[in-house]
Amino acid sequence: KAGVTQTPRYLIKTRGQQVTLSCSPISGHRSVSWYQQTPGQGLQFLFEYFSETQRNKGNFPGRFSGRQFSNSRSEMNVSTLELGDSALYLCASSEVGARGYTFGSGTRLTVV
Amino acid sequence: DQQVKQNSPSLSVQEGRISILNCDYTNSMFDYFLWYKKYPAEGPTFLISISSIKDKNEDGRFTVFLNKSAKHLSLHIVPSQPGDSAVYFCAASANSGGSNYKLTFGKGTLLTVNP
């Protein structure tokens, strides 16, 4: 079984631009969550999607948004990028009712 | 408000010795706890978990202990190996009645195992 795939792996954007990150979950996994990791802050929960619906949202500004498609693939979008958005963005997927998640390798976003 | 706390940012141990990583939580609704290991430039990988109905779970060299009254859990690695050097994250989730199990993470502990 292929793991969770995130693209791209690395991204450099300019302040004020927008960015879209992609995540393909493990086949059969219908729940997809997104996390932001910054130095010293651990993993901060962004949002979770299940069957194309956002079920849970973390404490991030509205510039951060996401969606899930019918094939469970998910995208997250960050608009009007700020320097502080530089981070590793991790996607994780799980089966229905599972208590743990499998993570992808992440997308390293650098905002300059 | 940090609901999952890992108060030691780093830990250094000698190869062959025991590594003990600690985690405290404040939310009494948490009923499932996990440990993830993370190498640089990679995503976290699942290590071991424990349900609140247990106080110990063992998997090879890794054992997790849960003390519900103290809201404290710990991960023991015996014996420690240089390949165990990584950041370890403690995570917790609450059963909200559906299939919605958001994970709340601590900030991580960097474990260094010296040869």
Side-chain angles (χ1 to χ4, degrees):
Chain A
K1 240 184 188 180
V4 179
T5 304
Q6 291 188 247
T7 56
R9 286 297 308 274
Y10 302 93
L11 206 46
I12 299 176
K13 288 287 188 178
T14 303
R15 195 170 42 179
Q17 287 186 313
Q18 74 155 16
V19 67
T20 299
L21 311 181
S22 180
C23 172
S24 293
I26 291 173
S27 178
H29 285 193
R30 292 166 59 192
S31 172
V32 174
S33 295
W34 289 88
Y35 289 82
Q36 180 197 64
Q37 186 191 11
T38 52
Q41 289 301 314
L43 279 73
Q44 304 285 313
F45 174 76
L46 280 155
F47 26 65
E48 187 229 353
Y49 287 87
F50 178 79
S51 290
E52 303 178 65
T53 301
Q54 187 182 86
R55 291 199 300 193
N56 223 333
K57 191 177 191 308
N59 295 324
F60 278 82
R63 300 185 297 106
F64 291 81
S65 63
R67 59 177 176 168
Q68 186 180 35
F69 302 95
S70 58
N71 61 358
S72 294
R73 191 177 71 84
S74 177
E75 289 181 347
M76 68 162 281
N77 183 278
V78 188
S79 62
T80 320
L81 284 166
E82 300 177 359
L83 297 178
D85 297 333
S86 295
L88 179 66
Y89 289 89
L90 292 158
C91 169
S93 73
S94 74
E95 298 175 280
V96 174
R99 300 301 300 265
Y101 287 82
T102 302
F103 283 84
S105 296
T107 294
R108 169 70 64 185
L109 171 66
T110 302
V111 182
V112 297
Chain B
D1 175 33
Q2 202 180 344
Q3 298 185 60
V4 177
K5 299 178 184 178
Q6 292 178 257
N7 292 319
S8 298
S10 63
L11 174 68
S12 183
V13 299
Q14 285 300 121
E15 180 178 4
R17 298 289 187 101
I18 184 171
S19 295
I20 300 176
L21 295 96
N22 294 303
C23 178
D24 296 297
Y25 62 96
T26 57
N27 188 342
S28 57
M29 299 299 291
F30 287 149
D31 67 340
Y32 195 77
F33 305 87
L34 309 92
W35 285 93
Y36 283 84
K37 179 167 86 169
K38 186 180 182 300
Y39 294 116
E42 293 183 14
T45 54
F46 170 75
L47 204 53
I48 192 168
S49 63
I50 187 167
S51 164
S52 61
I53 62 174
K54 295 185 173 182
D55 53 20
K56 176 183 173 181
N57 189 25
E58 197 170 351
D59 183 1
R61 296 185 299 113
F62 303 92
T63 303
V64 56
F65 295 92
L66 175 62
N67 182 333
K68 289 189 292 293
S69 60
K71 293 192 175 68
H72 176 84
L73 64 155
S74 61
L75 173 68
H76 292 211
I77 306 173
V78 185
S80 301
Q81 300 173 353
D84 295 330
S85 298
V87 177
Y88 288 78
F89 289 99
C90 171
S93 73
N95 187 344
S96 60
S99 56
N100 181 2
Y101 299 122
K102 179 186 101 172
L103 293 181
T104 301
F105 283 85
K107 293 189 177 182
T109 296
L110 172 62
L111 173 66
T112 303
V113 181
N114 301 301

